[in-house]
Amino acid sequence: MPFEWSKVGAPPAQDELEISVMGPGFGESVVCHFGANEWFIVDSCIEPGQARPAPLSYLEALGVDPATAVKIVLATHWDQDHVRGLGDVVQACKIADFCCAKAFVNEEFQFYMDEMSIGTRNRGVKDIQHAFDAVWDSGRTCRQAVPGKVLLRRPTITGGCVELLALSPSDKEFDLFLQEIASQRPGALQPLRQAVARSPNLASVVSLLVLDDCAVLLGADMERRPEADRGWNSVVREGKNLFLKRAGVVKVPHHGSENAHDDGMWNELLEPAPVGVIAPFGKGPVTGRPPTVSDIARIRAKTCKLYVTAPHATAKPPARSPAVTRGLRDSNIKTRSLARSLGLVRLRKPRSAGWAAEIFGAAYIA
Amino acid sequence: MNSVAKYIVPEISIDAREYGISDAFSLVATKAQAATAGTMYVQSSTTDSAVPSAYGTQFRFRDRPPNIRAAALDAQGGNLDLETIDAVSNVSPDFFLLGRTAPPVQQPRGNTSAVVAEWEGFVTRIDEEAIEARLVGLTGEGVAGEVEEATIPKSEIRDADQQLVAVGGLFRLCISYEKTPAGERRKYSSVVFRRLPAYRQRDLDAAHERTRARLNALRVE
């Protein structure tokens, strides 16, 4: 069912903080208002059945002009569920700086991106390449996200300051990501292929928004690793070193998946019982798609309120002729539908008040 | 077919049905043929057995006289990559009309087959016994236009294509019916990986130039 953008209502007040997480069950984007009609966008996703990036549709539905109001577009990592429509977002947000992991602007990744765009249908790099082209064409700045770097700092109309701080990826992840990219670069005579991100999550940009009396942790797709210099271990260490304010809201990392659960994150970077928002990941074997029932139970126990942007896509394949069904079954080929619908979780915090949540579309309270 | 294709087998990946040919074909040229006669052979991508003789059709390059083409190949030193490029890029648009304008040919007396559903896909993950893939439905009731994920046993991939199985590898999945002359119907699936188009050195070089230009101009903080 198409998302009813007309229902999202009015924009936030000038001094109101807003975090809106949207996700169609596969893909996610966060839109944030940090005061005085200034916004930033983290990642991009597409409303199912539409070509328009959901964050742009949302801002336009609020009556906000992305061309002037959006100051930063942050791409957390190169994964299809985070970069769909990203190029359109960067192009539409005409004065926004583009922020991305340091590895994105490395020569190795840039070479890979252009190599894989040879041929006409390579969705895998098209969006991220389009984003870089938009930055390049408009002469804007590309800001590399490294741990501890302030991506955005603005005075607020209340006399305070808002900061968006990057907490990852670590140097180790930077190296490993580029090694993997190097191994995937094509050579002459090899058949054209689709660019597929294999393990980009650990190289994603975790960020913390700090404004006056509150903070929001945007967990991207960061995962847990046993090594001290990788995954959440390195993020938590960075956060502790910087004496960061603990966040009262968390965009739960990696769709609530168990492999992203880190006690250090919950205990060191977040307030007790924060508000949690999950954007699910509707791909892969149906039983393992995060968040699973046990993922939700685990995260619910850690949060005061937990919201999910959309239920998982139906596992039922589309109706098709018996001949096709039998043919697939006889060959032991199993297919899974990727049909889905968009949901939006919106958290608004007026000055000196608590968070108020609203859900739209397919979103639900877990 | 194998005997003439032993030098190289560059295929031109087109969906021949778009050009009025009733099955999903790929075009196969050999080094010797491309250099001299410019003859193209048609090989079905949905069955292993179909050969051009069954359809009584031979395709020829029309855009360049054979002697000029041979000279061009000599100048390239028989470089496989460039030869493959030429095989792709020198096909005249007229060539594709042949399928439409060719006179009706006698149906083969062997088995006939009909595709009931077809997907285009690419590999997203390789496991020990199966591949995970993203599929986009091309034809078939309830199939066309649908985006799905699939788990495909490696045993469904023909031996000749096993070496092409790589993350990102593009393929077609077909569910077909085959009918024998005796009237027996058999259902089967086929997974055919694309060999061409391939990355060309000159395209890679152009991509690198573009990357350098962008990196030089990009303002990075």
Side-chain angles (χ1 to χ4, degrees):
Chain A
M1 193 167 68
F3 190 88
E4 294 178 273
W5 292 109
S6 59
K7 289 192 173 175
V8 298
Q14 291 282 301
D15 62 347
E16 205 169 18
L17 177 63
E18 174 182 323
I19 300 288
S20 288
V21 183
M22 53 199 78
F26 172 72
E28 64 181 64
S29 178
V30 179
V31 176
C32 173
H33 175 252
F34 52 90
N37 195 32
E38 293 195 315
W39 299 74
F40 68 81
I41 296 174
V42 180
D43 293 334
S44 176
C45 60
I46 300 283
E47 182 186 356
Q50 307 292 320
R52 189 92 173 129
L56 294 182
S57 298
Y58 176 64
L59 289 177
E60 284 161 6
L62 290 177
V64 172
D65 180 8
T68 56
V70 178
K71 306 303 178 193
I72 286 245
V73 176
L74 168 61
T76 61
H77 63 299
W78 172 51
D79 208 348
Q80 276 302 288
D81 60 327
H82 290 256
V83 299
R84 288 294 305 275
L86 185 68
D88 292 339
V89 171
V90 174
Q91 195 165 33
C93 302
K94 294 183 186 303
I95 62 167
D97 284 345
F98 179 56
C99 297
C100 59
K102 186 180 166 187
F104 276 23
V105 289
N106 182 277
E107 191 177 78
E108 194 73 42
F109 183 77
Q110 293 277 329
F111 274 136
Y112 173 78
M113 194 170 62
D114 279 326
E115 287 164 352
M116 294 306 287
S117 67
I118 295 170
T120 56
R121 291 180 298 173
N122 209 325
R123 184 88 238 172
V125 290
K126 189 177 168 190
D127 291 298
I128 190 77
Q129 188 182 39
H130 183 189
F132 274 107
D133 285 345
V135 174
W136 182 25
D137 292 343
S138 59
R140 279 179 278 169
T141 303
C142 181
R143 301 170 73 92
Q144 301 176 93
V146 292
K149 184 170 181 175
V150 176
L151 302 176
L152 171 87
R153 180 180 284 134
R154 283 275 202 286
T156 62
I157 57 174
T158 57
C161 179
V162 59
E163 277 187 351
L164 181 65
L165 194 69
L167 300 177
S168 67
S170 67
D171 290 345
K172 177 81 170 178
E173 300 301 352
F174 171 82
D175 291 341
L176 291 172
F177 179 76
L178 290 180
Q179 279 174 27
E180 185 185 303
I181 289 296
S183 72
Q184 290 182 49
R185 285 182 58 186
L189 286 180
Q190 290 179 358
L192 289 186
R193 61 176 188 262
Q194 192 83 13
V196 177
R198 294 193 202 184
S199 55
N201 294 342
L202 290 159
S204 62
V205 180
V206 174
S207 56
L208 185 77
L209 175 72
V210 184
L211 187 149
D212 294 345
D213 60 339
C214 67
V216 176
L217 181 67
L218 303 174
D221 272 3
M222 185 56 71
E223 297 176 12
R224 183 185 65 241
R225 291 288 302 181
E227 300 93 327
D229 55 352
R230 301 191 65 191
W232 277 109
N233 283 342
S234 76
V235 177
V236 171
R237 191 184 57 195
E238 193 67 35
K240 286 165 76 175
N241 289 345
L242 294 169
F243 299 103
L244 295 175
K245 183 174 182 57
R246 293 184 183 218
V249 174
V250 57
K251 200 292 289 178
V252 179
H254 198 212
H255 321 287
S257 134
E258 199 282 328
N259 67 6
H261 182 93
D262 184 81
D263 285 335
M265 180 200 90
W266 289 98
N267 298 334
E268 306 287 347
L269 300 182
L270 297 171
E271 294 173 1
V275 176
V277 184
I278 299 175
F281 184 76
K283 276 177 64 185
V286 174
T287 53
R289 293 175 175 179
T292 61
V293 173
S294 63
D295 290 332
I296 287 183
R298 171 175 46 79
I299 297 166
R300 198 163 45 200
K302 294 276 189 186
T303 53
C304 63
K305 274 280 188 188
L306 180 62
Y307 302 90
V308 184
T309 60
H312 281 310
T314 173
K316 193 177 174 186
R320 47 196 172 202
S321 76
V324 176
T325 306
R326 279 198 302 272
L328 290 171
R329 190 181 58 215
D330 291 351
S331 300
N332 197 23
I333 295 173
K334 299 181 177 70
T335 64
R336 301 174 289 274
S337 172
L338 290 174
R340 50 195 180 258
S341 50
L342 182 73
L344 167 67
V345 176
R346 182 164 74 193
L347 303 170
R348 282 182 174 173
K349 185 181 181 304
R351 190 180 177 190
S352 304
W355 290 99
E358 298 168 276
I359 55 175
F360 302 90
Y364 66 97
I365 302 171
Chain B
M1 191 64 187
N2 288 336
S3 61
V4 295
K6 64 185 178 183
Y7 301 105
I8 55 168
V9 187
E11 297 183 7
I12 301 171
S13 293
I14 61 165
D15 186 345
R17 286 167 304 175
E18 291 175 19
Y19 305 105
I21 303 170
S22 62
D23 199 354
F25 291 100
S26 55
L27 304 180
V28 181
T30 68
K31 180 178 182 178
Q33 290 155 356
T36 56
T39 305
M40 299 293 290
Y41 287 81
V42 180
Q43 182 181 37
S44 170
S45 63
T46 56
T47 66
D48 288 331
S49 57
V51 293
S53 59
Y55 293 83
T57 307
Q58 282 193 344
F59 296 103
R60 288 177 181 279
F61 289 113
R62 285 183 160 185
D63 61 331
R64 198 187 285 189
N67 57 335
I68 294 177
R69 181 172 175 76
L73 284 170
D74 287 343
Q76 292 156 9
N79 181 298
L80 240 57
D81 178 28
L82 296 177
E83 187 176 1
T84 302
I85 296 163
D86 280 356
V88 176
S89 62
N90 290 340
V91 176
S92 159
D94 293 344
F95 163 80
F96 296 114
L97 297 175
L98 287 173
R100 294 194 177 112
T101 55
V105 295
Q106 190 177 359
Q107 287 297 313
R109 280 176 286 179
N111 298 349
T112 58
S113 65
V115 176
V116 292
E118 189 173 14
W119 294 261
E120 187 172 64
F122 63 91
V123 179
T124 55
R125 202 178 75 207
I126 301 170
D127 295 331
E128 199 169 322
E129 295 191 343
I131 61 170
E132 296 286 328
R134 178 75 61 87
L135 301 178
V136 177
L138 299 176
T139 58
E141 182 186 335
V143 171
E146 294 290 334
V147 180
E148 296 175 84
E149 283 187 312
T151 305
I152 302 171
K154 282 184 177 170
S155 57
E156 291 296 312
I157 301 166
R158 59 185 187 177
D159 291 345
D161 283 1
Q162 291 287 351
Q163 61 175 353
L164 299 172
V165 177
V167 172
L170 300 161
F171 65 88
R172 289 218 173 191
L173 165 65
C174 297
I175 302 292
S176 310
Y177 271 110
E178 186 180 62
K179 192 173 180 182
T180 66
E184 183 186 359
R185 275 161 57 100
R186 188 174 72 87
K187 183 167 66 268
Y188 65 95
S189 66
S190 58
V191 179
V192 180
F193 275 78
R194 286 174 60 167
R195 286 180 163 75
L196 283 177
Y199 290 101
R200 305 182 297 185
Q201 191 58 55
R202 66 184 180 203
D203 287 342
L204 291 172
D205 292 342
H208 296 167
E209 275 182 35
R210 178 182 152 78
T211 306
R212 288 192 189 96
R214 183 171 54 226
L215 282 172
N216 286 337
L218 206 59
R219 287 168 45 199
V220 178
E221 280 184 6

